[in-house]
Structure formats: structure tokens, C-alpha cells
Amino acid sequence: MSKYVVDADHVTIRFNLSNEKINNLKEYAIKLVKKELMFQEFLALDDVSLKVKKGEAWGLIGVNGSGKSTFLKAIAGILKPYKGTIKVRGNIAPMIELGAGFDGELTARENIYMNGTLLGHSKEFMDEHFDEIVEFANIKKFLDSPIKNYSSGMKARLGFAVATVDCPDVLIVDEALEVGDMNFRKKCRERMSELLEGGTTLLFVSHNIKTVREVCDHAIWLDKGKMKMSGEVAEVCDAYQEEQDRLDLERRQKKREKNFKKKGKVYDYLVVGSGLYGAVFAREMENAGKRCLVLEKRPHVGGNIYTEETDGIHVHKYGAHIFHTSDVAVWNYVKNYAPFNNFINSPIAVYKDELYNLPFNMNTFSKLWGVRTPAEAKAKIAEQIADLNITEPQNLEEQALSLVGTDVYEKLIKGYTEKQWGRDCKDLPAFIIKRLPLRFTYNNNYFNDKYQGIPVGGYTQIIENLLDGIDVKTNTDFFKYKKKYKNFKKVVFTGMIDEYFDYKLGHLEYRTVRFETERVEEESYQGNAVVNYTDREVPYTRIIEHKYFEPEKEAAQPKEYTIISKEYSTEWKPGMEPYYPVNDEKNSKLYEAYQELAGKEKNVIFGGRLGQYKYYDMDKVIAAALAEAKKELKK
């Protein structure tokens, strides 16, 4: 005996399509006799096989006209294969077409008994389960009304209730449930789960991929009558969704191209900069049917998150970027454009010949003072703060001392901060440090965010995928471009806001970073992705060992060499790459003046780290760009 409940073997279903219009029966008969009828062969199913075991739930997916319903009708015995065979063990309860098996002139009561008879149930069986069917279908008030007066949802409820009142060997459901309301669909899924647990085999057709994932454990993907893929439901649905997304993007691109030509090739948005802000904004606008041109002055896209592969290692060209967020919407968004690993940032701090864990936590305090408990660490810090007697901090040094005490400040903050800002901590304003997180747990995870990781394959792919299908010009200076071309309606500017206004109010100050990147012929240089050097006498602030951002790749393909980058923080000068703003009182006031100018600028949006003169974590950049895009689309 076969182990398969449904065994469809190389099934082909053929239909004959007429090549000419025949107006009446007489004309048809004459052409038939004269053998002049012309038909075109159409294969609704072409050599499709499917083997289903008892208790399995198979989803049939594909676009309209792919052959899903035809295949189910063949399995149900409604259509006969032109080629191949179909064997079904046990009884079938089909819900292939809405209202199939019902007589519109008969009442619901009469149709229940008639439909039950067609399914092979006795009158006694139907009497016993009549109330159950009526309750499930929720049609008690309309039992004696003709079915023709029923809505599509009512017909679906009644059909499903009758089909599933017993435990059929094979239940076939074809889109019938999509017409019901939310509560009914929930009841149907619960009933199908009960049937599956009882050994019923399910064949389920739906265009709702989410429902297919929830209900089925296997799936078959049909395309133009052919089987494109079959297997585990998640794998097949993922592939199908990816294909539909690709086709949808192509359709939208063709539509945009058509509209673009109609408008005389004028872009809706000229996006200046291909970093996260610009790329996300452009993607959202293009998805909404707008046309964008992205300008990038560098020879590559990606802004400062750009990564390039060097000797099989993804190098963070402009400094280490570790993605972290507690915003589930942003996390889900960015994962659409790259897979992420589960990298956790656990940096090390080196002070002279001493080594400490970061962030400041119990591992740090234990190494500093030999303490073991949070109470001991808190007491030590409190004692040092009390001895300093700082009531109103006048500068950054006093602010830091009043928060963490002498030892943490002297060994882990002072030198690093002075290198980063290029000046003594006593000369820096207190408000730069509003708080210093102290963790009284043994936890070296630098970030508290729920979602963390590094894109497998580097960050560049995120930008490339965001900009897929969008016009991009690299090695292009915006200020030169706008003098020559006027083919845009609005500008999204992510460069330096003071540069946009030609520094008319003066230069805002920035800090910049210089990198020394080299290949080292050692398997491991420092044993960790990030090592900070907190002694001011060491000229660089930290060393990045890039291979440790993707430890899974290194484990799979170990290398006898590594690539490191030393970072040197320096004062920014015109012509240099700005990294982060100097948000002191003087620069904050200057930015406010530029912001006032920006508010008067028509058809220009200023965004991102440089356009808004503020430090942004990557997740906040994405959120800001999404918010601005949403705001624009409401106009």
C-alpha cells in the first residue's frame, strides 16, 4: 500500500482554446463537419508531480493563472489528466469554488442535507451534526432562506462547516476562506488545525502568503502550469515572495520610467549624499512612485558606512560601525536589505600596561580595585566622588569626576577624551558629558539595545540594495551639478549645512578621523574587534581588527593574516572629511543661525549628521529618513 494519501505523477491538463469567433450552433456544426474548427492547445498544467503523506498540510502558491485551482480540481476528480496519473486514498472534502454543491433556489437547511449527501454522509449523520453545522456557520436566523440570497461570506461559512463536520481524509480549500471576516478565518484555522491533528491531509490555495505560512508545513509553487519549487513552506514562500518583490519592483520601475519620460526627465528629488539618510529617503520616495537622482562626491556609495573587501576581509573604510537599536520597526526595515550576524560589541581598554573591560562594569571595577560585589564598587566610587567635593562642575573634567570618581576618569576617560577632542578636558564644556553609564553587573556588552549585529558581507550591500533601480551619479559635486542642470524639483541635502550656504555665517567646527590601515601577517593582532587606548601618550584612540566583526566567516575560513586600522582623531579643516560636530556653545549658536536660513530655503530638505549638525547612531538616521519621507508623501 502506498504511503502517500495523494500521489500525482507527471500530471498534464490540456484545454483547447478556440482561434476564431463562432456566432451560433449552426455555424459550429458546419465547421465541425467540415473539420474547419481551429483550436490552440493550452497546457494549464504541464508535467506536475506531488506526493503528499497523511496529515501533511500543503499550500499551493502562485499568481493567477498559474494552475493552482486546476491542479486541485484534478486531484478532486473534477478534471481528468491529459497525461499522468492521480491517486487519492480516502474521501475528499473539496471547497474549490464558492457555493459549489449548493442549489441557489433551495434553503440553507435543504442545502446542508443535499451537500452532506454529496460528501457521502447519511441522513442520520447529518441529523446528528445539523446544529453543529448551523452554529459554526452562524446562519441560524437565515436557515430557511434561499442560498441565492446569501452573501459570499455566508456561503463560504456554510460550505466550510459542512465540508469539515466530519474528519475527511483529504480537505481541499481554494481561496474560499478569504471572503470571510477575521473571526471566521480564525475559526477556520482552528478547525483545520484540529483536523490535521486528527490525521486529515490539507491542500490549501491562497494568495495570502502569511496564511499559507501559518496553516501549512509544505508548499508547492506553480508558475504558468509548471512546478517551480516545492518543499518546506518557509523556504518556498520566501523564494516566491522574493520573486514577487522583484517583479513588483520591475513593474514600478517601468511605470516610473514611463512617467519620467512624460515629465521631460525631471527628477522629483535630487538627493545629495548616498549615506544611510539619503539612500533610505530615496528608496521610500521611489517606492511611492517618485523619481530620484542621488549624487555622491565620492567614487562609491555608502557614505561613512562604506565597507570594502580586502583579501577576503570586509574593512570598515571610515571607522567601525556596529548596528544596534531597540526600535523593532527600524530593525525589521534594515534586515530587508542585508542579513545580520549576532555580533556583540565588547571593547577592551588599554591604559599603559593595564587592560580593562568596557563599558564600565563589574569586570572593570574588579580589575581596578579588587572588589567583587556591586555594593563594594558603589562604595568605592561614592568615596572618591565625596573626597572631590565638586558641587557645580565648571568643565568636562569636573563633570566626569563628579560622576565616576578619580580612578575611572584618570585611567579610562581623560586621555581618550583629550585625544578625541584635541584639547585638555579642563578646556571642554561640562555639558558634553551629561552622564557616564556605570553597570554594576558582570556584562561586557557595550550596548543595551535589544537588536545588535553586523551585516554579513559588510554595510555597502545595504546601500546598494536601497539604491537598486535608482539613478546614481558618483564622483559628482552637487554645487557644480546644480549650476549646470535644473532637472529636479526638490533637493535633499545631507552635506554640511554651512557649506550649502557657502559659509556666509562662518565655519561650523567638526572633528575628523585619520586612518592607518595595514595588513598584518599574523593570525590575530589583538584578539578583539575594538581596543581603545586611553593613555594620551599613545597617539591613536583605538585599533580596529576587522576580521572579528564577522567571526562566523573567520571560523569558516581561517586566515593566517589580519587587517587592522589605527584611528587618529584630529581637528577638521576645510577640504577634510568631517566626522562629528563640535557641539559646544559657540557652534550650537552658529548652527541655530544656519538652521534659520534653512527654514527660509524653498524646496530643500536638510538631513543627516552633517545637514542637521548632530551625531546620529545609524538606527536614528534610518528612523529620521523614514519620518521625513512619510512627511513628504503626506504633502
Side-chain angles (χ1 to χ4, degrees):
M1 182 180 291
S2 173
K3 62 180 179 178
Y4 300 110
V5 175
V6 177
D7 189 350
D9 187 43
H10 298 286
V11 173
T12 297
I13 301 288
R14 182 183 70 173
F15 295 118
N16 290 327
L17 303 179
S18 176
N19 282 342
E20 55 186 322
K21 183 178 180 181
I22 299 175
N23 296 315
N24 52 57
L25 184 60
K26 179 181 178 181
E27 185 180 349
Y28 178 85
I30 292 171
K31 287 184 176 288
L32 180 64
V33 171
K34 290 183 176 182
K35 298 182 179 180
E36 293 178 352
L37 283 174
M38 302 296 291
F39 294 99
Q40 179 181 351
E41 183 179 80
F42 171 70
L43 298 182
L45 279 182
D46 188 1
D47 195 31
V48 176
S49 296
L50 177 66
K51 299 182 184 296
V52 181
K53 296 178 181 178
K54 181 178 175 65
E56 289 184 338
W58 280 77
L60 282 73
I61 61 176
V63 299
N64 289 330
S66 60
K68 305 184 299 296
S69 297
T70 300
F71 196 19
L72 289 189
K73 288 177 181 178
I75 292 172
I78 299 171
L79 296 176
K80 184 178 179 181
Y82 169 61
K83 291 181 182 178
T85 60
I86 298 176
K87 297 176 182 177
V88 180
R89 290 175 53 208
N91 63 310
I92 299 176
M95 286 191 67
I96 294 178
E97 291 183 3
L98 200 60
F102 291 144
D103 186 325
E105 299 299 326
L106 299 180
T107 66
R109 186 188 303 275
E110 292 165 334
N111 270 290
I112 289 172
Y113 281 97
M114 184 184 71
N115 208 251
T117 301
L118 292 174
L119 291 173
H121 302 315
S122 66
K123 184 178 182 304
E124 291 76 16
F125 178 88
M126 296 307 294
D127 286 338
E128 182 183 346
H129 293 85
F130 183 84
D131 291 339
E132 179 186 342
I133 293 170
V134 173
E135 182 182 355
F136 189 90
N138 193 23
I139 57 165
K140 189 174 182 179
K141 291 181 181 180
F142 312 99
L143 260 178
D144 296 309
S145 298
I147 285 287
K148 67 180 181 181
N149 296 330
Y150 275 30
S151 68
S152 58
M154 292 170 71
K155 290 177 184 176
R157 297 202 303 266
L158 183 58
F160 188 84
V162 175
T164 61
V165 68
D166 191 20
C167 190
D169 294 301
V170 180
L171 174 63
I172 295 177
V173 182
D174 183 3
E175 288 288 1
L177 305 186
E178 296 305 316
V179 299
D181 58 35
M182 184 176 65
N183 290 331
F184 176 67
R185 290 197 297 270
K186 182 181 178 182
K187 284 171 64 176
C188 288
R189 285 198 292 270
E190 291 173 353
R191 174 65 65 88
M192 285 191 290
S193 296
E194 292 171 5
L195 293 175
L196 289 169
E197 290 174 5
T200 292
T201 298
L202 174 66
L203 299 178
F204 181 71
V205 166
S206 177
H207 286 286
N208 189 328
I209 299 303
K210 181 181 178 183
T211 303
V212 173
R213 290 177 186 270
E214 291 173 352
V215 171
C216 304
D217 46 39
H218 294 78
I220 178 172
W221 173 10
L222 296 178
D223 183 46
K224 297 178 181 178
K226 293 180 178 290
M227 184 183 76
K228 192 159 186 178
M229 186 178 181
S230 70
E232 296 293 326
V233 66
E235 184 180 353
V236 177
C237 286
D238 285 347
Y240 174 74
Q241 191 65 60
E242 184 178 340
E243 173 78 358
Q244 296 313 300
D245 289 344
R246 182 185 66 79
L247 293 172
D248 182 56
L249 179 61
E250 288 180 2
R251 284 191 293 269
R252 284 189 276 109
Q253 287 174 343
K254 288 179 181 178
K255 182 179 178 181
R256 284 197 301 270
E257 193 64 40
K258 185 178 179 180
N259 292 335
F260 190 50
K261 289 178 180 178
K262 282 183 178 179
K263 295 176 182 178
K265 293 191 175 181
V266 174
Y267 291 97
D268 295 295
Y269 294 92
L270 181 68
V271 180
V272 183
S274 65
L276 269 176
Y277 190 98
V280 168
F281 183 91
R283 175 77 276 148
E284 294 305 297
M285 290 297 108
E286 289 269 341
N287 286 349
K290 305 294 184 181
R291 189 77 187 199
C292 297
L293 171 62
V294 177
L295 301 185
E296 173 55 61
K297 65 180 180 180
R298 288 171 173 169
H300 57 74
V301 297
N304 284 357
I305 69 168
Y306 172 74
T307 51
E308 64 180 9
E309 187 168 350
T310 304
D311 297 334
I313 298 172
H314 290 110
V315 175
H316 295 222
K317 187 76 173 177
Y318 302 101
H321 286 79
I322 299 145
F323 194 88
H324 57 97
T325 185
S326 293
D327 189 330
V328 65
V330 169
W331 178 242
N332 289 335
Y333 183 87
V334 75
K335 286 195 301 176
N336 288 326
Y337 299 99
F340 277 72
N341 65 16
N342 60 351
F343 177 83
I344 298 296
N345 188 29
S346 301
I348 300 295
V350 174
Y351 176 75
K352 299 187 184 301
D353 60 350
E354 300 168 13
L355 186 146
Y356 297 95
N357 292 104
L358 296 177
F360 311 135
N361 69 87
M362 284 304 300
N363 288 307
T364 318
F365 307 143
S366 179
K367 183 69 179 290
L368 276 169
W369 306 308
V371 298
R372 294 176 56 189
T373 68
E376 291 175 306
K378 289 178 181 179
K380 188 72 175 177
I381 293 171
E383 178 186 345
Q384 292 188 358
I385 292 174
D387 289 343
L388 294 166
N389 195 28
I390 299 172
T391 55
E392 294 184 11
Q394 299 301 306
N395 52 51
L396 186 145
E397 177 167 285
E398 291 184 359
Q399 174 79 339
L401 286 168
S402 69
L403 292 170
V404 298
T406 308
D407 291 341
V408 173
Y409 170 73
E410 290 289 346
K411 293 189 174 184
L412 301 176
I413 296 175
K414 179 178 169 60
Y416 189 88
T417 303
E418 290 178 344
K419 285 188 291 186
Q420 205 170 28
W421 291 97
R423 60 199 73 178
D424 194 284
C425 284
K426 293 177 182 176
D427 299 326
L428 290 168
F431 69 80
I432 289 179
I433 295 181
K434 294 180 180 178
R435 66 184 185 88
L436 287 170
L438 299 174
R439 292 188 192 162
F440 296 97
T441 59
Y442 290 91
N443 179 6
N444 297 326
N445 184 347
Y446 195 79
F447 302 114
N448 288 318
D449 291 304
K450 183 176 181 180
Y451 309 106
Q452 302 181 38
I454 300 283
V456 178
Y459 281 95
T460 304
Q461 63 183 311
I462 294 178
I463 302 299
E464 290 175 341
N465 290 333
L466 282 165
L467 296 179
D468 186 32
I470 298 174
D471 292 343
V472 177
K473 290 181 179 292
T474 54
N475 291 308
T476 303
D477 181 85
F478 161 69
F479 299 101
K480 293 179 181 177
Y481 184 91
K482 76 172 183 175
K483 287 180 182 179
K484 188 175 181 181
Y485 301 100
K486 304 297 180 184
N487 60 340
F488 52 89
K489 298 177 181 178
K490 203 164 187 176
V491 173
V492 178
F493 189 76
T494 68
M496 294 186 295
I497 188 171
D498 53 344
E499 183 184 19
Y500 180 88
F501 292 104
D502 198 24
Y503 309 105
K504 66 191 324 182
L505 303 177
H507 284 276
L508 289 166
E509 291 182 290
Y510 301 87
R511 293 293 293 173
T512 190
V513 182
R514 178 173 61 86
F515 301 93
E516 289 182 358
T517 300
E518 61 177 306
R519 170 171 162 156
V520 179
E521 300 304 317
E522 298 177 22
E523 184 178 341
S524 178
Y525 181 79
Q526 61 188 18
N528 202 50
V530 181
V531 177
N532 291 359
Y533 287 81
T534 59
D535 185 353
R536 187 165 186 177
E537 279 63 46
V538 177
Y540 40 84
T541 55
R542 63 180 182 176
I543 297 179
I544 306 301
E545 189 162 3
H546 299 273
K547 66 162 58 177
Y548 289 118
F549 288 128
E550 294 182 82
E552 67 286 346
K553 182 179 180 182
E554 180 62 20
Q557 297 177 316
K559 299 172 183 61
E560 295 181 356
Y561 57 87
T562 190
I563 294 177
I564 65 168
S565 294
K566 294 178 180 178
E567 297 185 6
Y568 299 81
S569 181
T570 61
E571 199 78 35
W572 175 85
K573 294 178 181 178
M576 300 174 72
E577 193 65 44
Y579 271 78
Y580 45 93
V582 180
N583 293 118
D584 58 16
E585 186 176 354
K586 181 186 75 172
N587 284 288
S588 295
K589 286 183 178 179
L590 182 56
Y591 169 65
E592 287 176 5
Y594 274 119
Q595 197 175 24
E596 188 175 339
L597 288 178
K600 298 175 183 178
E601 197 78 0
K602 291 183 178 180
N603 297 320
V604 181
I605 297 169
F606 293 88
R609 175 177 51 91
L610 303 179
Q612 296 176 328
Y613 198 64
K614 65 187 293 186
Y615 179 81
Y616 265 122
D617 283 329
M618 286 181 284
D619 64 323
K620 302 300 188 297
V621 173
I622 293 172
L626 289 173
E628 188 63 43
K630 186 176 181 180
K631 178 181 172 183
E632 278 294 297
L633 292 173
K634 285 182 178 179
K635 291 181 178 179

